[in-house]
Amino acid sequence: MKPRGYGFLLLLLHILKAAIALEQTNIISKLGDNATLSCIFNRNNLQLKNLRVYWQIADSYQKTCSVVHALMSGQEDNSKQCILFKDRTQLFWDRLEHGDFSLLLLNVSQRDRNTYKCIVQNTTEYSKVIYQAEVVLSLAVSYSQPILSGPIKNNDSTEGEVTFNCRSGNGYPKPNVYWINKVNNSQLNASKTEIISHKNGTFNVFSTLTMKATSNMQIECSIENEMLQENLSANYTQLKKSSTESDENLEKKGRGAQAAGIIGIVFVIGLLTGLICWLWRRRSSNLVSYKDVKPREDQGGLNSPV
Ligand SMILES: *[C@@H]1O[C@H](CO)[C@@H](O)[C@H](O)[C@H]1NC(C)=O
Ligand SMILES: *[C@@H]1O[C@H](CO)[C@@H](O)[C@H](O)[C@H]1NC(C)=O
Ligand SMILES: *[C@@H]1O[C@H](CO)[C@@H](O)[C@H](O)[C@H]1NC(C)=O
Ligand SMILES: *[C@@H]1O[C@H](CO)[C@@H](O)[C@H](O)[C@H]1NC(C)=O
Ligand SMILES: *[C@@H]1O[C@H](CO)[C@@H](O)[C@H](O)[C@H]1NC(C)=O
Ligand SMILES: *[C@@H]1O[C@H](CO)[C@@H](O)[C@H](O)[C@H]1NC(C)=O
Ligand SMILES: *[C@@H]1O[C@H](CO)[C@@H](O)[C@H](O)[C@H]1NC(C)=O
Ligand SMILES: *[C@@H]1O[C@H](CO)[C@@H](O)[C@H](O)[C@H]1NC(C)=O
Ligand SMILES: *[C@@H]1O[C@H](CO)[C@@H](O)[C@H](O)[C@H]1NC(C)=O
């Protein structure tokens, strides 16, 4: 049993060594961008007609649709190419002779997140593998500019707490959310952070911060895309206390003026009513006196010709 065990271990070490020897690179692409999968076997004056270059998906579960691109004796042979890569792959023809077999993958989508393997064989030597490289393609999408809302006063809280909300979306991978008190650049803990995924794999993020209200709050919400080394932030700065006070004063003054205006109008209406009444009385009394006088005038009129 023992020797066999050791043999297995040696075999495993051998495999591991082979895996380490294989060049592996990681690249990050944004959705919809073109990605260059690199495979550089630095040799000059290569005879392309004696070479076979395969680009394939390395992941073992991917058996049915694994051929990404193939170059046989200097000719592209994409008869076995997986349909997902049709018209989306290009070799750099001017660099092939210098041993650069890098592949340009157009319009990268979520489905392209794979480990790709480039295998170069020498067809004159029993198809011996003379070079291979692996490329891990990861995807990233920038988050949208975060939107910060608040502060909203909490009804039920005793200590005058306020709530801020921050949201951003359509990014990949999952973000980190930071709340920062800009007064002293200290980090604040979110009371709740929710990350929701879309069908297309991207995420939306909603975060809530609850804190004690202070006199000059300066709050920043920052959405970090670690893969892209990108931080997008939105901030809130409370208006100066004095300005809000003067606003209140202005409001008070405004209300005062309004009240004065109303009182003035009522006063003028009263005055006008009084005046009208007085005029009416005078007119009535004139009428009375006119009536009183009229018969006399008539009399007089009648009298005078007589
Ligand atoms: C990707 O490559 C294609 C073809 O070369 C080009 O038309 C397109 O503008 C490129 N897209 C980006 C995002 O660079
Ligand atoms: C890129 O791929 C997406 C699907 O993944 C497709 O909807 C879009 O039309 C493609 N864009 C171009 C320029 O081919
Ligand atoms: C391919 O194999 C032949 C025969 O062994 C050898 O002469 C040639 O140099 C090899 N080519 C490369 C690129 O290794
Ligand atoms: C605050 O009070 C209003 C009305 O009184 C109510 O509609 C609202 O849901 C309350 N908000 C919270 C967070 O309790
Ligand atoms: C930063 O300031 C807040 C008050 O605005 C205070 O509660 C907090 O303890 C301070 N943090 C540090 C690290 O000084
Ligand atoms: C934030 O949470 C971490 C761990 O959850 C804790 O160690 C830290 O003290 C908290 N900070 C504040 C300001 O509450
Ligand atoms: C993903 O889906 C969401 C919601 O359907 C959409 O708003 C967003 O633009 C999509 N993102 C990409 C990169 O296609
Ligand atoms: C993003 O901001 C946070 C909080 O300020 C910081 O810890 C992190 O290092 C920043 N990341 C990048 C990529 O700048
Ligand atoms: C806060 O955000 C505004 C725009 O929303 C920006 O003009 C200002 O520079 C930001 N302040 C800080 C301290 O980041």
Side-chain angles (χ1 to χ4, degrees):
M1 272 315 273
K2 244 185 180 169
R4 225 177 118 191
Y6 276 120
F8 179 72
L9 199 67
L10 282 174
L11 185 70
L12 197 73
L13 281 173
H14 199 71
I15 290 166
L16 279 175
K17 209 174 140 196
I20 290 160
L22 178 71
E23 203 151 312
Q24 197 180 57
T25 50
N26 292 292
I27 63 159
I28 297 158
S29 173
K30 288 197 186 187
L31 217 63
D33 271 6
N34 299 332
T36 301
L37 312 179
S38 107
C39 175
I40 302 168
F41 174 48
N42 264 323
R43 289 290 163 83
N44 274 319
N45 306 314
L46 279 174
Q47 295 291 306
L48 286 183
K49 67 172 179 5
N50 295 334
L51 295 179
R52 191 182 285 160
V53 180
Y54 273 116
W55 267 104
Q56 63 190 50
I57 293 175
D59 306 322
S60 52
Y61 63 86
Q62 185 62 270
K63 284 266 160 64
T64 51
C65 213
S66 69
V67 179
V68 180
H69 201 100
L71 184 75
M72 308 285 192
S73 315
Q75 303 267 311
E76 272 172 328
D77 175 13
N78 286 327
S79 57
K80 289 191 185 126
Q81 187 185 41
C82 170
I83 189 82
L84 292 176
F85 299 104
K86 191 169 158 49
D87 299 329
R88 293 180 55 224
T89 53
Q90 287 171 14
L91 290 166
F92 297 90
W93 281 88
D94 52 332
R95 305 189 207 158
L96 288 180
E97 284 188 356
H98 309 297
D100 185 345
F101 307 110
S102 299
L103 189 72
L104 183 68
L105 180 61
L106 304 178
N107 190 18
V108 168
S109 77
Q110 286 285 343
R111 287 193 292 201
D112 298 326
R113 282 188 296 147
N114 288 306
T115 300
Y116 295 86
K117 195 169 187 176
C118 157
I119 301 164
V120 183
Q121 291 173 313
N122 185 349
T123 49
T124 55
E125 213 177 355
Y126 315 108
S127 297
K128 184 183 162 195
V129 174
I130 54 173
Y131 184 72
Q132 54 184 341
E134 267 187 10
V135 179
V136 180
L137 175 62
S138 308
L139 271 189
V141 188
S142 292
Y143 276 86
S144 62
Q145 178 60 38
I147 295 168
L148 179 61
S149 61
I152 304 160
K153 283 203 178 85
N154 291 9
N155 309 347
D156 46 344
S157 113
T158 47
E159 310 264 326
E161 279 182 334
V162 290
T163 297
F164 288 94
N165 290 298
C166 183
R167 63 189 162 90
S168 173
N170 300 332
Y172 188 89
K174 283 187 182 181
N176 296 320
V177 179
Y178 301 98
W179 287 95
I180 298 142
N181 180 355
K182 295 299 276 185
V183 173
N184 53 16
N185 274 316
S186 63
Q187 272 202 23
L188 300 162
N189 283 347
S191 47
K192 194 174 85 182
T193 295
E194 238 183 313
I195 296 173
I196 295 165
S197 69
H198 285 302
K199 276 212 183 89
N200 60 22
T202 62
F203 297 102
N204 276 7
V205 57
F206 302 90
S207 186
T208 304
L209 173 77
T210 302
M211 64 178 289
K212 245 184 235 175
T214 57
S215 55
N216 65 328
M217 288 185 286
Q218 284 179 46
I219 303 298
E220 183 178 89
C221 153
S222 196
I223 307 292
E224 182 187 37
N225 188 327
E226 234 176 336
M227 215 180 243
L228 292 174
Q229 285 291 295
E230 214 169 61
N231 250 346
L232 295 171
S233 57
N235 64 69
Y236 165 81
T237 304
Q238 191 170 42
L239 288 172
K240 289 254 159 55
K241 193 82 193 218
S242 59
S243 76
T244 49
E245 256 172 10
S246 68
D247 279 358
E248 271 169 23
N249 282 346
L250 273 178
E251 209 180 335
K252 272 180 195 160
K253 272 181 196 159
R255 279 200 199 128
Q258 228 174 7
I262 289 168
I263 290 168
I265 287 166
V266 166
F267 181 74
V268 166
I269 288 172
L271 211 68
L272 278 172
T273 313
L275 194 70
I276 287 165
C277 283
W278 182 73
L279 282 172
W280 183 257
R281 277 241 190 99
R282 241 187 77 151
R283 207 171 115 87
S284 325
S285 66
N286 277 353
L287 275 172
V288 168
S289 56
Y290 182 70
K291 262 184 199 160
D292 288 349
V293 168
K294 207 178 177 181
R296 255 187 266 153
E297 272 178 358
D298 287 352
Q299 268 172 13
L302 283 169
N303 286 349
S304 55
V306 174

